[in-house]
Amino acid sequence: MQRIRGRAASGGIVFGKIHFYQRDEQIVKKRRVGNPQLELQRYEYARSTALGELDALYERELKNIGKDHAEIFFIHKMLLEDYGFVEKITDMILGEGVSADYAVHRAANEIASELGHSEDEYIRARTADMLDVSRRLIRHIQNKSENTPVFEKNTILCSYDLEPSETVMLDKTRVKAICTCYGSVTSHSSILARTMSIPSIAALGKTLNESYNGCDAIVDGYSGILYIDPDNATKRRMIEKREEEGRKRELLQRLRGRKNITLDGAEIDLYANISGLTDLKYVVDNDAGGIGLLRSEFLYLQNDDFPDEELQFYTYRRVLERMEGKRVVVRTLDIGSDKNPDLGSSDEVNPAMGIRSIRLCFERPDVFRTQLRALYRASVYGRLAIMFPLIVDPEEIAAIKAIIQDVWDELDQQGIAYSKDVEIGIMIETPAAVMFSDELAREVDFFNIGTNDLEQYALAIDRQDMRLEKYCRPHHLAVLRMVKMAADAIHRYGKWVSICGELAGEPELTEIFLAIGIDTLSVSPTKILPLRRKIRSIELGDREDILVRSGIIPPSDPKHYGVYFDYSRERKYVRGRKTNK
Ligand code: PEP
Ligand code: MG
């Protein structure tokens, strides 16, 4: 038996036979042409045929497997129509007098190489799309027909790489798993494999090659391991794992479309935290009710400079459109010299308490206004909420509102559409914000409690320093009591509160958050269905009782006098002792 490890791209376990697929090599040679104008026409004709073909494929796959998969052909159309790509090709044909297939080949490789150097994994993964669509175009220029491989039943398709359009076109009744030597887990092929629920492993390296054609194999798409000629013990282990994972997945999938409701009818929203466009698919797959935290700094961290208004507008618009009217909470730039030394003052002794987040926005109004303009311009495409981080004082809200008013005035003057129905909220992540929660609640539409920072600032525990963990009780009562204080304050004004720090996803705290009356928990997408399962198993009962037992509020009712909260490290809840003991 041989074991090859790659990157787990799509979960699942498959037993089958390897078919090592290699597409027909396209031969493109540099050739001068006698009549460049005629060559340009040849290119234009091939391009319009390819565009027509992509249209037809889009329509077909839309019916067959849905919008998510079909979108790839739409993206390919956009690439073929991309002004920069067309211009490069035209210049080469007319300026250098080279053949159309060579011009396309060279232009695509140049663009692919630029994409490949991007720091953004998503953009890097588009390299494959560029090469894929150029191959289609070259095939039409060369007037060649498509080679469609024939597969046996239970095929494990192995390949050096697989183009996104090849992945979509696979005969899924026969191809049961996909393994590639190259590629990444965010490449379109991997994304497609996941959306089509085909187990897949990427980046297996050169050890996997055509010599394995016809071998028996097992694909473990959960761990990213390909077993070639597996022994009996491995086969048994994989059968057990497949059964176990299948049971778990089935149970969770059954929860899609269900309410987040306790056995006795208490409901809560479950939203997703995301850091980029690539996470959007998981938001939808995991049935999130909305996006509770879009950490917009991902846009800043990917670029050497602050991203311009257009890039931001495009990004926010895409998120809002994809969420189809569900709430999307975008947090404005939460960054400082801790995350990017070029920002703020790099000589800060303690960047976590330095010029970061909203403070940096006040220092750099140009950057802040650009982000607000992009957000308001995007606001007409969905249900946007804007959230401001690291607030310590109600006066900051007044300053933010004045800047928003300026941005509105400017957009009005320029005749640019935006919505005024955008909710404005703040992160509660400093003890000062908790203490001011009443005043702050009057000024905003919602609170989002960032327990990661609230823990750090309330407990004086540097969240980056793992050595400090032992000094801090997990789920510290001081923090949970602050959560309740802030939630009560905003509820007094009839407004909503969410938690978006890591505590939101801790199943041991779900009952407490429900008892406090938190409206929304915002967690990483894969935590949504497990949390829904947890919520649906809870019989909440008497909320006050839960809060007294967990030490969040003191007993006020004689019925609680027999309840004693033990503050020991183990956090035991002991019933039946006298409160005055
Ligand atoms: C938080 O502080 O809890 C939070 C969600 O924000 P971040 O982790 O991005 O600081
Ligand atoms: Mg924070």
Side-chain angles (χ1 to χ4, degrees):
M1 178 178 85
Q2 194 178 350
R3 203 169 170 271
I4 312 177
R5 185 180 278 279
R7 293 190 63 196
S10 173
I13 289 170
V14 164
F15 289 58
K17 259 199 192 342
I18 291 182
H19 176 130
F20 202 95
Y21 164 76
Q22 280 175 288
R23 75 182 64 88
D24 285 348
E25 211 189 325
Q26 236 170 15
I27 300 170
V28 181
K29 290 204 175 118
K30 185 168 181 180
R31 203 165 41 83
R32 298 228 170 262
V33 290
N35 186 343
Q37 277 300 344
L38 204 66
E39 194 64 10
L40 187 64
Q41 277 173 23
R42 246 160 57 75
Y43 154 69
E44 275 164 0
Y45 181 73
R47 180 167 160 268
S48 73
T49 316
L51 284 170
E53 191 174 75
L54 288 166
D55 266 338
L57 286 167
Y58 177 79
E59 290 304 326
R60 195 187 78 186
E61 295 306 319
L62 192 64
K63 282 197 206 99
N64 286 349
I65 45 175
K67 191 162 179 271
D68 278 343
H69 311 293
E71 207 181 46
I72 171 112
F73 296 113
F74 182 72
I75 293 172
H76 283 196
K77 257 190 77 180
M78 280 177 22
L79 289 175
L80 270 193
E81 286 169 335
D82 179 78
Y83 179 74
F85 186 39
V86 173
E87 193 182 42
K88 254 183 201 288
I89 296 166
T90 313
D91 283 355
M92 279 185 225
I93 298 175
L94 295 181
E96 298 176 31
V98 293
S99 61
D101 56 351
Y102 175 76
V104 171
H105 173 78
R106 207 174 94 196
N109 278 290
E110 282 175 15
I111 294 175
S113 141
E114 279 165 30
L115 296 173
H117 284 100
S118 166
E119 281 184 15
D120 180 351
E121 205 179 344
Y122 179 82
I123 294 178
R124 268 203 316 277
R126 299 290 71 76
T127 312
D129 292 304
M130 189 72 232
L131 296 175
D132 186 352
V133 79
S134 74
R135 255 190 288 268
R136 180 180 301 280
L137 187 52
I138 292 171
R139 180 166 55 74
H140 283 290
I141 296 171
Q142 297 182 340
N143 221 352
K144 297 238 165 79
S145 56
E146 205 164 10
N147 142 36
T148 337
V150 180
F151 299 110
E152 300 289 321
K153 274 188 186 161
N154 285 341
T155 291
I156 294 175
L157 178 70
C158 295
S159 173
Y160 289 114
D161 61 356
L162 207 57
E163 291 185 339
S165 62
E166 287 169 327
T167 316
V168 173
M169 307 292 287
L170 292 175
D171 178 356
K172 282 120 214 147
T173 59
R174 288 165 180 265
V175 174
K176 297 297 177 197
I178 298 171
C179 296
T180 56
C181 303
Y182 308 114
S184 75
V185 292
T186 51
S187 68
H188 248 134
S189 301
S190 299
I191 294 172
L192 285 166
R194 276 196 293 278
T195 32
M196 295 186 300
S197 295
I198 299 181
S200 174
I201 308 175
L204 281 150
K206 283 188 193 153
T207 323
L208 176 64
N209 57 51
E210 55 273 36
S211 69
Y212 294 113
N213 212 4
C215 287
D216 285 327
I218 303 177
V219 171
D220 178 353
Y222 299 112
S223 326
I225 300 174
L226 173 66
Y227 299 93
I228 296 170
D229 291 330
D231 55 28
N232 285 339
T234 306
K235 283 184 191 163
R236 272 197 303 277
R237 203 161 44 80
M238 286 295 116
I239 289 171
E240 278 164 24
K241 185 169 178 180
R242 185 168 62 183
E243 285 169 359
E244 178 59 26
E245 295 290 345
R247 271 195 297 274
K248 279 198 232 159
R249 233 179 17 173
E250 199 182 312
L251 281 175
L252 283 180
Q253 285 307 313
R254 279 196 220 153
L255 292 175
R256 295 190 85 240
R258 302 285 186 91
K259 288 184 175 176
N260 311 304
I261 189 166
T262 63
L263 293 169
D264 47 355
E267 270 194 72
I268 191 163
D269 282 326
L270 290 181
Y271 286 4
N273 292 348
I274 65 167
S275 302
L277 293 175
T278 40
D279 297 340
L280 272 179
K281 193 192 135 12
Y282 306 111
V283 174
V284 176
D285 276 2
N286 289 286
D287 202 22
I291 291 175
L293 169 63
L294 188 155
R295 290 180 159 101
S296 70
E297 55 275 12
F298 80 93
L299 272 171
Y300 296 78
L301 293 170
Q302 281 158 11
N303 293 282
D304 294 339
D305 203 353
F306 291 110
D308 64 17
E309 188 178 314
E310 284 316 304
L311 175 68
Q312 293 196 58
F313 164 68
Y314 168 76
T315 308
Y316 304 140
R317 175 181 166 171
R318 237 181 101 187
V319 176
L320 286 162
E321 285 179 336
R322 187 78 170 85
M323 292 309 290
E324 298 175 338
K326 289 182 179 164
R327 189 187 267 139
V328 174
V329 181
V330 178
R331 175 174 73 187
T332 57
L333 179 63
D334 187 5
I335 198 172
S337 60
D338 51 342
K339 285 184 185 154
N340 184 339
D342 296 337
L343 300 173
S345 36
S346 46
D347 57 352
E348 283 175 340
V349 177
N350 191 345
M353 297 188 182
I355 304 290
R356 51 167 291 213
S357 312
I358 198 67
R359 297 170 194 167
L360 183 74
C361 290
F362 289 145
E363 295 275 320
R364 292 285 309 263
D366 53 324
V367 170
F368 194 30
R369 291 169 80 102
T370 302
Q371 180 166 32
L372 289 172
R373 272 183 65 95
L375 281 165
Y376 276 102
R377 280 176 58 199
S379 64
V380 290
Y381 294 96
R383 185 175 172 199
L384 174 68
I386 306 179
M387 173 165 78
F388 302 95
L390 207 75
I391 296 297
V392 294
D393 198 310
E395 280 180 16
E396 287 165 336
I397 311 294
I400 290 168
K401 283 187 177 171
I403 298 172
I404 292 177
Q405 185 61 56
D406 276 358
V407 167
W408 284 354
D409 292 346
E410 201 175 70
L411 292 172
D412 284 335
Q413 275 162 22
Q414 294 168 341
I416 297 174
Y418 63 94
S419 163
K420 281 196 176 165
D421 281 338
V422 173
E423 290 173 298
I424 294 294
I426 54 169
M427 297 279 294
I428 299 287
E429 50 191 348
T430 62
V434 177
M435 298 315 289
F436 272 135
S437 49
D438 197 74
E439 288 87 342
L440 291 167
R442 262 181 250 155
E443 301 300 327
V444 296
D445 299 312
F446 67 94
F447 283 169
N448 208 347
I449 306 176
T451 49
N452 306 340
D453 274 322
L454 190 56
E455 277 181 333
Q456 149 161 285
Y457 297 123
L459 307 175
I461 292 281
D462 181 348
R463 67 190 265 199
Q464 313 286 1
D465 191 342
M466 300 310 280
R467 291 170 306 178
L468 293 173
E469 261 181 11
K470 65 175 183 240
Y471 293 104
C472 176
R473 210 185 297 164
H475 312 166
H476 201 289
L477 257 189
V479 174
L480 296 177
R481 286 181 183 175
M482 286 184 171
V483 168
K484 176 153 191 318
M485 268 180 86
D488 288 350
I490 195 102
H491 282 153
R492 276 196 290 279
Y493 292 88
K495 299 169 181 178
W496 59 279
V497 58
S498 164
I499 302 177
C500 64
E502 288 308 301
L503 283 194
E506 304 249 335
E508 310 92 271
L509 296 177
T510 313
E511 200 183 40
I512 292 177
F513 292 149
L514 283 161
I516 291 176
I518 298 295
D519 302 279
T520 304
L521 294 173
S522 192
V523 295
S524 58
T526 50
K527 286 193 176 161
I528 290 174
L529 293 176
L531 211 51
R532 181 171 295 164
R533 179 176 52 197
K534 167 79 194 184
I535 292 161
R536 293 174 67 86
S537 71
I538 291 174
E539 171 96 51
L540 202 54
D542 185 337
R543 293 165 189 231
E544 194 182 330
D545 187 52
I546 294 168
L547 297 178
V548 171
R549 272 190 290 120
S550 26
I552 290 170
I553 57 169
S556 62
D557 189 298
K559 77 174 186 258
H560 292 298
Y561 288 169
V563 179
Y564 168 81
F565 176 71
D566 182 351
Y567 286 83
S568 72
R569 273 194 98 73
E570 292 74 37
R571 313 253 332 259
K572 283 185 204 134
Y573 307 126
V574 187
R575 269 182 170 277
R577 294 203 200 148
K578 287 192 180 117
T579 45
N580 60 357
K581 190 173 172 193

